[in-house]
Amino acid sequence: MPKISKSSKNKPAVKAKKIVNTVQKPAKVIKKPITIEKKIKAPIKISKNYIPKDTEKYMCDKHLSFFKIKLTEWKKELVKANNEALYHGTMDDNSVSADIVDQASSYTDKTVEMKAINRQIKLISKIDQALLRIKDGTFGFCAETAEPIGIKRLMARAVAHLCIAAQEKHEKDEKVYADD
């Protein structure tokens, strides 16, 4: 079969031209040193009797510094108390007493003291978590809703990580599951 081709007489032929732009580069390249400025925050100095106020910007540097100092001092006190209780306290072994009532009393005292120490260890863990939140900038804001927790609540319980509404919801849910 013969090939049928359309004639190109009706279409004008377009020739493409390549246009090359040449840009002269400077003979010498000068490298400018780039200086990256890191903002190093100077430690905030606050007085020992400073108390955060609601009129100040929420979780400003003063507030964060105040709570950091408060939490680290609280942690030091707890660690010191735990060490004294564990190594120098009333944890003597009186269970070799001949009287069975004395042994039971000693055992009960040790159990109560160990429970208190365990609670303090958990509290130290919460303090460490709060210090990490100060470091990463999330301290003072609810972990669930991201709303401000509030200065008064943080003054009462510096390791709080939930706002009052979220804490109440958490406690209600906990109660529901405990009843099941």
Side-chain angles (χ1 to χ4, degrees), residues 1 7 30 32-33 53 62 81 110 141 144 146 168 174:
M1 260 184 146
S7 65
I30 301 171
K32 294 181 181 178
K53 300 174 185 81
K62 279 185 173 183
K110 286 180 189 178
F141 296 94
E144 289 184 8
E168 287 175 348
E174 195 175 78

Side-chain angles (χ1 to χ4, degrees), residues 85-96:
L86 286 173
Y87 299 115
H88 309 296
T90 60
M91 298 292 290
D92 298 332
D93 191 17
N94 294 333
S95 62
V96 292

Side-chain angles (χ1 to χ4, degrees), residues 134-154:
I134 287 175
K135 194 173 187 178
D136 67 17
T138 60
F139 181 80
F141 296 94
C142 180
E144 289 184 8
T145 63
E147 293 180 14
I149 292 174
I151 296 293
K152 290 180 182 177
R153 176 161 166 73
L154 289 171

Side-chain angles (χ1 to χ4, degrees), residues 2-20:
K3 289 186 179 179
I4 302 173
S5 64
K6 293 183 180 178
S7 65
S8 62
K9 293 178 184 175
N10 295 341
K11 293 182 182 178
V14 178
K15 292 185 179 180
K17 291 184 180 179
K18 289 187 177 179
I19 301 173
V20 178

Side-chain angles (χ1 to χ4, degrees), residues 168-180:
E168 287 175 348
K169 182 182 178 293
H170 176 73
E171 289 173 2
K172 284 179 185 175
D173 292 344
E174 195 175 78
K175 183 180 177 189
V176 168
Y177 290 122
D179 291 342
D180 287 345

